[in-house]
Amino acid sequence: MKTHGSKVLDPICETRVLEWLVVPTRECPDAASETKIATKYFRMPHPSSGSLRAFVRPVEVRRSRRRVLFCQELGVDL
């Protein structure tokens, strides 16, 4: 079971998006596998840069007994 998607955090300007991925804990048992999944499915984080001031925040990881949630915010600073 892998569930993924994105959510627009700023629906008026559509300048911020949250991308997320949920995997079972058996596929992601430790920190090394967290890093591997984060580098495979998400973008490299960087601060606001360029003329558009685009940014990518680091991946956040949250665990429960059965699932691991990965989420990353990206967008444009106005």
Side-chain angles (χ1 to χ4, degrees), residues 8-20:
V8 177
L9 297 176
D10 184 9
I12 295 170
C13 296
E14 295 183 353
T15 58
R16 293 176 54 202
V17 176
L18 181 71
E19 294 183 348
W20 54 273

Side-chain angles (χ1 to χ4, degrees), residues 47-65:
S48 296
S49 61
S51 61
L52 290 177
R53 311 253 327 136
F55 67 88
V56 178
R57 305 262 190 258
V59 177
E60 293 182 28
V61 180
R62 296 182 186 166
R63 289 185 159 273
S64 70
R65 280 189 285 175

Side-chain angles (χ1 to χ4, degrees), residues 5-77:
S6 60
K7 179 180 181 180
V8 177
L9 297 176
D10 184 9
I12 295 170
C13 296
E14 295 183 353
T15 58
R16 293 176 54 202
V17 176
L18 181 71
E19 294 183 348
W20 54 273
L21 171 70
V22 177
V23 296
T25 54
R26 67 180 179 275
E27 292 182 20
C28 184
D30 56 9
S33 57
E34 284 178 6
T35 304
K36 187 175 180 181
I37 289 172
T39 56
K40 183 175 181 180
Y41 291 102
F42 293 94
R43 301 173 191 202
M44 232 12 201
H46 61 81
S48 296
S49 61
S51 61
L52 290 177
R53 311 253 327 136
F55 67 88
V56 178
R57 305 262 190 258
V59 177
E60 293 182 28
V61 180
R62 296 182 186 166
R63 289 185 159 273
S64 70
R65 280 189 285 175
R66 294 186 180 140
R67 296 182 188 115
V68 182
L69 170 66
F70 296 85
C71 52
Q72 183 178 48
E73 183 182 348
L74 51 115
V76 177
D77 283 334

